[in-house]
Amino acid sequence: VNPIDVAVASQRVQVATAQLERANLLWLPTLNLGVDYARHDGQIQDIRGEVFTTSRSSFMVGAGPALTFAVTDAIYGPLAARQVLKARQAEVQTALNDTMYSVAEAYFNVQQARGELAGAVDAVRRAEDVVKRAEQLAPGLAPAVESNRVRSELSRRRQAVEAAYDRWQTASADLTRLLRLAPSAVVEPAEEPQTRVELVDTATPVDDLIPLALTHRPELVTRQALVQATLARLKQEKVRPLVPSVLLRGNATNPAGTLSSGLFGGGVNDQMRNFGGRNSLDLQLVWEFQNLGLGNRATVRERQSENQLAVLEVFRVQDRIAADVVQAHAQARRAANRLREAEAGLR
């Protein structure tokens, strides 16, 4: 219902969703609202280069846009973020699969430990009966060593019971941790220890199961999406020097140019008059060559390496999935064989 791993994966989806939303909003400017008061006393230089003394002040209330982004970021950033979101969504399914597998494995470990405990308790009961029979034998009918031997066997069987209790409680703690139950609770399975659960026909050739796993395992979807994200970032860096960045800012206030439009007025000394509307914007298209273009080339090489790493991770996951299938298939077949031999031995 609420496994930690799934909750963590779900939060990563929320982070990736927010990053995609932010990437889609790069085209929109930031809007600044505020007031500006400027005061100057003393020497100042006019546009002709003449220096003179003056005292003046001005006041403005208004708003101004601020926008700085690379067009390549606005185009390829959402593409990469969308692939990252796809990868995070696949990770949620991976977390669900891993949680279900871990819970099932922990459950059957408890079931096995509980069955071993039942067998150990039965062996102690039978050993106690043998000890009683040995002690009731007439003197001289059996050597004393036989009585000692059966008592020693009973001691070993009682130690096996304690070890079985240990395995049961340890396996139970693993299961309660995964289920987020009370840590001190000791769980007991509802099924009998000899219950058979078959999800996959072991007669199916392993070569038929591997393509099935490669088609449906979400880990592979995650890695493939990350490969697409690295490709988008690689294209972004390759075209970055060719596509300009956009700079938009208000130019009505100095020095930062925060405000662009609003009510402006001022005068000599502290006189505030001649108020009226004012609008001043500055729009620039800038081609950026980082470190004389050498920085762009280094970034491209970095993105190429990231892409190759992502591709290698895909191959690694494919190999791991294939190995998982082969191992699980072999374990299932051998378990079925052991079960048949156990049933024959029991009969």
Side-chain angles (χ1 to χ4, degrees):
V1 176
N2 190 25
I4 293 294
D5 292 342
V6 176
V8 171
S10 299
Q11 287 302 313
R12 288 174 178 163
V13 170
Q14 298 302 318
V15 172
T17 301
Q19 291 174 344
L20 174 59
E21 182 179 357
R22 184 175 59 189
N24 287 326
L25 298 176
L26 283 179
W27 299 92
L28 300 179
T30 299
L31 183 62
N32 299 307
L33 301 174
V35 296
D36 179 78
Y37 173 78
R39 173 70 190 225
H40 173 80
D41 295 292
Q43 298 288 88
I44 193 172
Q45 187 177 32
D46 62 16
I47 192 171
R48 294 176 300 180
E50 297 181 2
V51 178
F52 59 96
T53 302
T54 186
S55 295
R56 67 178 188 181
S57 59
S58 64
F59 178 83
M60 181 176 179
V61 55
L67 181 64
T68 303
F69 72 93
V71 176
T72 53
D73 294 341
I75 295 176
Y76 292 101
L79 298 178
R82 192 172 295 111
Q83 294 299 326
V84 172
L85 175 59
K86 182 179 179 181
R88 298 296 175 255
Q89 290 170 340
E91 287 178 352
V92 173
Q93 186 60 52
T94 300
L96 285 169
N97 292 350
D98 291 344
T99 298
M100 287 188 290
Y101 174 78
S102 298
V103 169
E105 185 179 36
Y107 184 92
F108 290 122
N109 286 339
V110 173
Q111 188 187 44
Q112 180 179 359
R114 189 67 181 87
E116 291 173 352
L117 175 61
V121 171
D122 180 72
V124 166
R125 185 174 64 252
R126 295 176 185 275
E128 289 174 345
D129 181 67
V130 173
V131 170
K132 291 179 182 179
R133 290 173 181 270
E135 291 176 346
Q136 292 173 359
L137 292 175
L141 187 61
V145 68
E146 294 298 331
S147 178
N148 293 335
R149 186 170 63 84
V150 295
R151 282 195 293 268
S152 176
E153 178 67 18
L154 175 60
S155 175
R156 286 195 297 269
R157 294 297 180 178
R158 286 172 174 169
Q159 293 178 50
V161 169
E162 295 301 323
Y165 270 114
D166 181 15
R167 289 191 293 271
W168 177 27
Q169 294 173 346
T170 301
S172 176
D174 288 337
L175 182 58
T176 56
R177 173 182 58 83
L178 293 170
L179 298 178
R180 304 188 69 187
L181 301 176
S184 58
V186 179
V187 295
E188 184 171 354
E191 288 85 2
E192 294 297 326
Q194 68 271 19
T195 301
R196 274 182 85 163
V197 179
E198 292 185 3
L199 300 179
V200 178
D201 185 5
T202 56
T204 304
V206 69
D207 290 335
D208 294 342
L209 296 177
I210 292 176
L212 188 65
L214 294 176
T215 303
H216 293 92
R217 287 283 287 268
E219 299 97 316
L220 202 54
V221 176
T222 297
R223 293 301 172 183
Q224 290 170 345
L226 292 178
V227 169
Q228 296 301 317
T230 59
L231 284 175
R233 295 190 183 105
L234 177 58
K235 294 178 182 177
Q236 174 183 353
E237 296 303 329
K238 284 184 176 180
V239 302
R240 184 182 295 276
L242 308 177
V243 181
S245 298
V246 179
L247 286 79
L248 175 66
R249 61 181 180 177
N251 202 27
T253 55
N254 293 316
T258 305
L259 304 180
S260 66
S261 305
L263 186 64
F264 179 84
V268 178
N269 294 324
D270 293 327
Q271 297 178 9
M272 292 294 175
R273 57 190 179 184
N274 299 322
F275 279 92
R278 178 172 179 174
N279 181 56
S280 181
L281 284 171
D282 182 26
L283 176 63
Q284 299 179 12
L285 296 179
V286 179
W287 280 261
E288 182 182 16
F289 297 90
Q290 299 175 356
N291 309 111
L292 298 179
L294 299 178
N296 296 101
R297 188 173 65 178
T299 304
V300 169
R301 288 201 301 267
E302 179 183 359
R303 295 292 181 260
Q304 288 173 337
S305 298
E306 291 175 352
N307 176 252
Q308 290 300 315
L309 284 173
V311 171
L312 292 175
E313 286 295 333
V314 171
F315 293 151
R316 174 185 291 176
V317 172
Q318 287 177 340
D319 292 344
R320 181 170 58 82
I321 290 174
D324 289 345
V325 173
V326 173
Q327 292 171 0
H329 186 264
Q331 290 172 348
R333 291 188 60 184
R334 299 308 168 190
N337 294 339
R338 290 196 304 272
L339 181 58
R340 286 194 295 268
E341 291 298 328
E343 290 174 344
L346 180 62
R347 286 192 300 268

